[in-house]
């Protein structure tokens, strides 16, 4: 005989609860023991347990009247166990003696024990003797094992699972709040709510009143017995008149409702699965629509911006061109940065969407033509190429306009000097004063003319310079070229005329020279020395007033050195001036000495001592002015050099900082310090650090603007250009955002695939070990070595090669020749992950359709929430069955389409 009196704390019914691993539920032992002595409690259990036993015994054509007496011989007890288990027990003994009854009861108890139920303090003798406490305990143990044990809702079991099921079903009903299996059921509303939830046509719930519990309970019990085949197990008065109804009696009654509605539970499970799948699909569709919209907006902006950047509409003045440069700076500073963020966010959204599609077993998202991430990248590359070309063109145009302004001013200055020199020359050359002149006067006129010819020849270079400047202005497309050309032509025409007149006058003077024999040699010497000295002074004055343009300290220092060299020649020039003046003084002294009447002017030159002194004084005045101009330019170049050094110093800090951060992000992405969440937090700290560093770049932009406004084009103090740093900054922002997105996708994959942190670290360690170049992807040979290290048989034989090619087709479906870490994780976790499949969704729809091959709109609206039901109805095709059933919908093709399959 099995020992039913083993050691241990006695169960209130003599059992320790059915099940191999302990209690089905925590018992309220103290309350139960006290309640066992309560006749009202015992009455409820007798009535409920009797009704429950009879609901099964009637299937065998029998029943019990008295639960204490009718199980004493063990025959109906064995029959009850056979009915509820569907199994055959050993043949009972038909004798009437006590030993026969004990043996039969023991056979029943042995069968209960064989189902994993540990019975404590329940022995066959107590049952045969009609012990009410032990008999009720035994029946409760049977109810727990065969009616309640297998109830499970959201991974709970037994009492908790049954309670959660009741709470779920009655949640929408007013005045119902199921918290336990005793007082929560006293007003009868919870029983009625359970029935109405599954069979609304049987109960008029809105007409029930909370203050009429007897009517409510009787209504529920009568409807359950009449329409649901659930026998009446309690009287309404038993429940209402008890302060706390018996928990086991209520649980037994409620479990009968659970089993009666198990078919509806199955349909609800199917509906929940379908809703889950549809929610994933709807979310993915929204993400696809958002991607398409964002991609269209970004591409439209790129297409609008490129023509503006490619336009080449040169301006005629520097201010107008500088305004274009300012417009370009505003584009760089204001309009482009948000688009950089949009492009980065678009790539992140695309990667996240693809990850979610992979995790839910959906096909990859293919954007509409022209809106691929690669299309956006190509458009962005064209934009940046146009952007670079536009800035180079703007700076080139500014240099050209600066050169034009300088040349135009130089042309006007030289033209003014030349026009001042030629003033009156044409009238003088046309004068025929040699007809009445003396020989000395004729000779003087000839010598004067020779000096003029020398002076004329000296001015030939100036005229050629004027013409050359005008030609350069024409070639550089100077906006006021017509007036320049007209003035230049006038100067050239006048120059040709002066040459012709000079030649004619010389011929006239030479004809009379033979008649003239005397000449004042002293005046001649004066004239010969005064003319070149006068030319030197004019050249010096012209040079001292000459405009200049420089771009570096070295260039202005060169001009200063040349000016200093010129100043060093002034003492010798002053000596020459004094020597020339002494010649004139000597001629006057001799004339005075010999009583010679000299003409008013030197007959050989128009350059009088007064002119020489006046021009010398002018030279003396121009030297300090030139000193000042050169000093001011040197100060400007020193300021420019300060701007260069200032920009170079900041750039030399920002550039290496950006490079260092790029390298640190790369290290974080391949190292495995802590969990993925730790890595994500670390990366977000880096992102915040980068964002906080932005003022340094903005300061650099301000310094760069000052450099450009000063028309500084070269900087030897830094190898970093603003363009290079902008690109580096944008790459840094993009890289940190992408790296954060990759880790977030890894977390998504880990959680969705059920990968542990240790597994994720192992995957990352294996991947990094073979990712020798830290490029974030493995080549075929690297990937094969990685698989071998993880225990995959992909060695170089026919079978191993075939297996490796199969795996490569999974991780690299596009044949790119590389395997990313995301694809590696997907592969390592795919075969062990429980994901929804098209077959599961089809089976769920089949449950809702009552095993039909089609489903109707009415069934969808009844079984699914309104939004999900209408979503299915709008997308399901008519059922293609042979009968052409009106209103029938094809749920199979709809389910396979959700997973990108043409046929299951």
């Amino acid at each position: 005989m099995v020992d039913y009196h083993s050691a241990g704390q006695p169960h209130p019914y003599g059992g320790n609860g059915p099940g191999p691993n302990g209690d089905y539920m925590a018992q309220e032992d103290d309350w139960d023991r006290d309640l066992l002595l309560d006749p009202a409690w015992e009455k409820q259990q007798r009535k409920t347990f009797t009704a429950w036993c009879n609901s099964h015994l009637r299937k065998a054509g029998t029943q019990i009247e008295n639960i204490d007496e009718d199980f004493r011989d063990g025959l109906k007890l064995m029959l009850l166990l056979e009915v509820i288990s569907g199994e055959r027990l050993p043949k009972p003994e038909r004798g009437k003696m006590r030993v026969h009854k004990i043996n039969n009861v023991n056979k029943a108890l042995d069968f209960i024990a064989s189902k994993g139920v540990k019975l404590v303090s329940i022995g066959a003798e107590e049952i045969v003797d009609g012990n009410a406490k032990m008999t009720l305990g035994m029946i409760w143990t049977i109810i727990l094992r065969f009616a309640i044990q297998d109830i499970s809702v959201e991974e709970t079991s037994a009492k908790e699972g049954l309670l959660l099921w009741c709470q779920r079903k009655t949640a929408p009903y007013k005045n119902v709040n199921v918290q336990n299996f005793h007082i929560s059921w006293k007003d009868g509303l919870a029983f009625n709510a359970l029935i109405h939830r599954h069979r609304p046509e049987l109960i008029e719930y809105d007409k029930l009143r909370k203050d009429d519990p007897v009517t409510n309970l009787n209504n529920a019990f009568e409807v359950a017995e009449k329409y649901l085949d659930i026998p009446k197990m309690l009287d309404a008065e038993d429940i209402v008149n008890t302060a706390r109804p018996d928990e086991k009696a209520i649980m037994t009654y409620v479990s009968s409702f659970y089993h009666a509605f198990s078919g509806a539970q199955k349909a609800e499970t199917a509906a929940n699965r379908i809703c889950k799948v549809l929610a994933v699909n709807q979310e993915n569709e929204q993400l696809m629509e958002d991607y398409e919209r964002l991609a269209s907006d970004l591409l439209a902006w790129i297409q609008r911006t490129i023509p503006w950047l490619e336009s080449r509409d040169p301006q005629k003045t520097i201010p107008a061109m500088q305004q274009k440069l300012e417009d370009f700076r505003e584009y760089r500073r204001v309009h482009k940065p948000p688009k950089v963020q949009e492009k980065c966010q678009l790539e992140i959204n695309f990667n996240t969407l693809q990850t979610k599609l992979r995790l839910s077993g959906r096909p990859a998202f293919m954007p509409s033509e022209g809106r691929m991430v690669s299309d956006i990248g190509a458009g962005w590359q064209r934009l940046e190429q146009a952007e670079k070309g536009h800035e180079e063109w703007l700076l080139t145009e500014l240099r050209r306009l600066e050169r034009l302004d300088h040349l135009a001013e130089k042309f006007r200055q030289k033209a003014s000097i030349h026009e001042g020199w030629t003033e009156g020359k044409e009238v003088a050359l046309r004068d025929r004063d040699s007809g009445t002149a003396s020989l000395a006067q004729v000779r003087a006129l000839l010598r004067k003319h020779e000096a003029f010819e020398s002076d004329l020849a000296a001015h030939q270079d100036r005229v050629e310079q004027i013409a050359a400047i005008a030609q350069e202005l024409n070639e550089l497309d100077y906006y006021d070229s017509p007036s320049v050309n007209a003035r230049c032509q006038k100067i050239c025409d006048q120059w040709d005329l002066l040459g012709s007149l000079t030649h004619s006058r010389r011929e006239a003077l030479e004809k009379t020279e033979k008649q003239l024999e005397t000449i004042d040699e002293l005046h001649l010497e004066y004239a010969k020395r005064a003319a070149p000295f006068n030319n030197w002074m004019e050249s010096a004055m012209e040079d001292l007033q000459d405009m200049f343009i420089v771009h570096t300290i070295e260039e202005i220092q060169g001009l200063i050195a040349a000016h200093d060299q010129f100043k060093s020649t002034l003492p010798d020039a002053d000596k020459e001036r004094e020597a020339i003046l002494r010649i004139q003084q000597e001629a006057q002294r001799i004339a005075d000495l010999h009583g010679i009447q000299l003409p008013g002017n030197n007959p050989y030159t128009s350059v009088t001592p007064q002119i020489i002194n006046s021009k010398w004084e002018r030279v003396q005045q121009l030297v300090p002015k030139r000193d000042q101009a050169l000093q001011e330019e040197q100060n400007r170049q020193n300021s420019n050099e300060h701007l260069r050094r200032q920009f170079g110093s900041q750039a030399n800090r920002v550039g290496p900082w950006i490079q260092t951060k790029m390298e640190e992000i790369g290290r974080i992405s391949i190292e495995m310090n802590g969990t993925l969440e730790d890595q994500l937090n670390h990366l977000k700290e880096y992102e915040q650090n980068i964002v906080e560093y932005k003022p340094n770049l903005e300061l650099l932009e301000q310094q760069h603007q000052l450099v450009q406004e000063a028309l500084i084009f070269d900087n030897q103090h830094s190898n970093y250009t603003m363009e290079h740093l902008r690109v580096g900054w944008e790459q840094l922002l993009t890289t940190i955002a992408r790296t954060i997105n990759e880790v977030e996708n890894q977390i998504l994959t880990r959680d969705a695939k059920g990968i542990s942190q240790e597994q994720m670290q192992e995957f990352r360690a294996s991947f990094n070990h073979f990712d020798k170049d830290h490029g974030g992807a493995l080549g075929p040979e690297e990937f094969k070595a990685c698989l071998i290290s993880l225990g995959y048989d992909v060695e170089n034989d026919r079978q191993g090669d075939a297996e490796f090619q199969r795996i490569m087709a999974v991780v690299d479906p596009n044949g790119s020749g590389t395997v990313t870490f995301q694809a590696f994780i997907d592969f390592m976790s795919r075969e062990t992950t429980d994901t929804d499949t098209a077959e599961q969704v089809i089976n769920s729809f089949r449950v809702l359709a009552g095993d039909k091959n089609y489903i109707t709109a009415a069934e969808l609206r009844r079984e699914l929430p309104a939004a999900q039901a209408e979503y299915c109805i709008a997308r399901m095709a008519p059922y293609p069955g042979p009968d052409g059933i009106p209103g029938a919908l094809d749920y199979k093709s709809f389910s396979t389409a959700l997973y990108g399959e043409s046929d299951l």
Side-chain angles (χ1 to χ4, degrees), residues 99-112:
V99 67
H100 299 139
K101 296 178 181 180
I102 290 174
N103 288 340
N104 288 338
V105 173
N106 269 328
K107 290 178 182 180
L109 295 178
D110 288 343
F111 178 78
I112 295 172

Side-chain angles (χ1 to χ4, degrees), residues 47-81:
K47 185 175 295 184
T48 303
F49 291 179
T50 299
W52 185 86
C53 292
N54 285 335
S55 69
H56 294 286
L57 287 173
R58 68 184 180 186
K59 299 172 185 176
T62 186
Q63 63 179 19
I64 61 173
E65 297 295 336
N66 188 321
I67 200 167
D68 302 355
E69 298 295 329
D70 293 349
F71 286 137
R72 290 177 64 181
D73 59 4
L75 296 177
K76 288 188 178 181
L77 179 59
M78 294 177 69
L79 182 61
L80 174 65
L81 292 172

Side-chain angles (χ1 to χ4, degrees), residues 237-307:
E237 291 74 14
D238 294 337
I239 298 176
V240 172
N241 296 329
T242 305
R244 185 171 184 172
D246 178 62
E247 184 177 49
K248 297 172 182 59
I250 297 294
M251 281 183 66
T252 302
Y253 211 159
V254 172
S255 68
S256 298
F257 283 85
Y258 176 86
H259 291 293
F261 296 134
S262 60
Q265 181 67 27
K266 183 178 180 182
E268 182 178 354
T269 300
N272 288 337
R273 179 183 291 277
I274 291 170
C275 288
K276 175 185 174 184
V277 171
L278 294 179
V280 170
N281 217 59
Q282 289 170 310
E283 180 183 2
N284 291 341
E285 286 180 358
Q286 184 61 49
L287 290 174
M288 294 174 190
E289 291 175 4
D290 291 343
Y291 173 88
E292 292 282 348
R293 176 178 53 78
L294 289 174
S296 297
D297 293 346
L298 185 57
L299 284 170
W301 178 82
I302 291 173
Q303 291 166 359
R304 289 195 308 271
T305 305
I306 287 178

